[in-house]
Amino acid sequence: MILLLAVIYIVFISLGLPDSVFGVIWPVLHKELGVAESFASIYNIIVGVCTSAVSALAGILIRKFGTGKVTAVSILLTVIGLVGISFSPNIVVMMIFAIILGYGAGAIDTGLNNFVSHHYKAQHMNWLHCFWGIGVTLSPIIMSFFLKDNSWRNGCRTIALIQTVILVIVIGSLPLWKKADSPIAENPDEEKGNKKFFEIFKKKGLVQSILSLSFYFAMENLIGTWAASYIVHIYSLNASTASMWVSLYYGGIMLGRFIAGFIAIKLSDNSLIRLGIGVSFAGIIFMLLPIGKTAICGLLLIGVGFGPIFPSVLHTVPARFGKEYSADITGYHLFGAYAVGFIIQLAFGYTATSTSFIIMPYVLIVLSAVMCFMNEYVIKKLSRQ
């Protein structure tokens, strides 16, 4: 399991690499392709629908093919998506490959998170997601070098090349995945599985747990997509500089998960979630301080706070709702996260581009409050059970 754990750490880098590409290239990309800046919301909605659809079905795919094969095919789809986007002559072709990219992201996200929640402790879940932070931080840094020459296409191809190397590693490790997959994943009770959907949603606190992750994801993705535009519009910085600031935000998430891995030895998942909400809220308030460009550093604090939230919520799934259908429940969590997150994206994108990006911190405050309420509801509901 040690060798497989090393492979999973590398795979988590590949999970993060494509996630931050679009947000940092959009200030340049929308001008080159001749589309409105607000179209980023439409893009994210389409990708989100594809990603969430695969997430909802991931439990079935994992039981049928195994986590390793699902992971390998998913990474392959992200490579095809990135390469296709890099050669897209117009927005229509780009959207086709964005859909492929979305399908790849959904399956790998559900598969890996379910696998880790079954086989590893909370500290590993946080450290593994820290490696997602490495991937998602590297992308803006890589793209910032290419954006200096407006060559974002070569930046996408470079990230696709890295993904290809990771794909080769996963293919070589397939025997390890097959050996480690749980009996539930390999021997499903199909007749019972046909009836499980409504049975699963009868579980107390499940809907609220899904919503808590959904509003978290809405904040994480909103910042990832629109922070560069926020910085360009509010502080009049160029796209390359804004990209480096966005990498600071993702670096904060990476740092938060690294620290959370050590804290998780002593604190429960619920405590880590509460701590993360508190720190990220402080970062949002920092963005509102009248201190000029220094306020952008609030993105780092938000990132640090965001660090433990996502992995901790997913790690609680087997403990909160049982192991039998944890792959399905993890998929439903991610389905809800993508669906709600991208709907909020759409609303924010059109509102901000038609009014002002100054509203971003205030929207984040509202979303943070709703997430906190839902999380506390789940904890209290399940503590009485």
Side-chain angles (χ1 to χ4, degrees), residues 100-265:
I100 296 174
L101 184 65
Y103 280 133
I108 189 174
D109 210 358
T110 302
L112 285 177
N113 281 295
N114 177 69
F115 188 89
V116 174
S117 66
H118 265 284
H119 296 284
Y120 300 99
K121 295 181 179 180
Q123 59 261 42
H124 286 296
M125 185 67 125
N126 279 282
W127 286 330
L128 286 163
H129 277 270
C130 176
F131 272 67
W132 171 87
I134 292 175
V136 85
T137 303
L138 279 175
S139 286
I141 294 174
I142 293 170
M143 294 306 303
S144 69
F145 289 107
F146 289 99
L147 284 170
K148 291 178 181 178
D149 301 321
N150 286 330
S151 56
W152 62 268
R153 296 178 185 273
N154 288 331
C156 288
R157 292 163 195 159
T158 300
I159 295 170
L161 179 60
I162 298 173
Q163 290 285 80
T164 303
V165 173
I166 296 174
L167 172 61
V168 173
I169 294 173
V170 173
I171 292 173
S173 68
L174 284 178
L176 297 175
W177 293 88
K178 185 176 181 180
K179 184 178 180 180
D181 264 324
S182 67
I184 292 174
E186 295 174 357
N187 301 297
D189 184 343
E190 292 297 340
E191 184 177 350
K192 187 176 180 181
N194 293 332
K195 301 176 182 178
K196 70 181 181 297
F197 181 84
F198 293 107
E199 294 176 3
I200 287 173
F201 272 87
K202 291 179 181 178
K203 294 178 180 291
K204 292 181 179 180
L206 177 58
V207 173
Q208 290 77 17
S209 179
I210 292 172
L211 287 174
S212 70
L213 187 68
S214 298
F215 284 102
Y216 161 76
F217 183 79
M219 289 192 292
E220 181 191 292
N221 203 256
L222 188 152
I223 295 174
T225 300
W226 293 109
S229 298
Y230 171 83
I231 294 168
V232 168
H233 283 275
I234 303 302
Y235 295 102
S236 301
L237 300 177
N238 60 44
S240 177
T241 304
S243 178
M244 293 301 294
W245 278 107
V246 174
S247 71
L248 183 69
Y249 159 68
Y250 285 116
I253 295 178
M254 179 177 62
L255 176 63
R257 287 171 180 171
F258 178 76
I259 296 172
F262 293 100
I263 299 176
I265 299 173

Side-chain angles (χ1 to χ4, degrees), residues 278-290:
V279 173
S280 61
F281 189 81
I284 297 170
I285 298 301
F286 192 88
M287 288 182 67
L288 290 169
L289 297 178

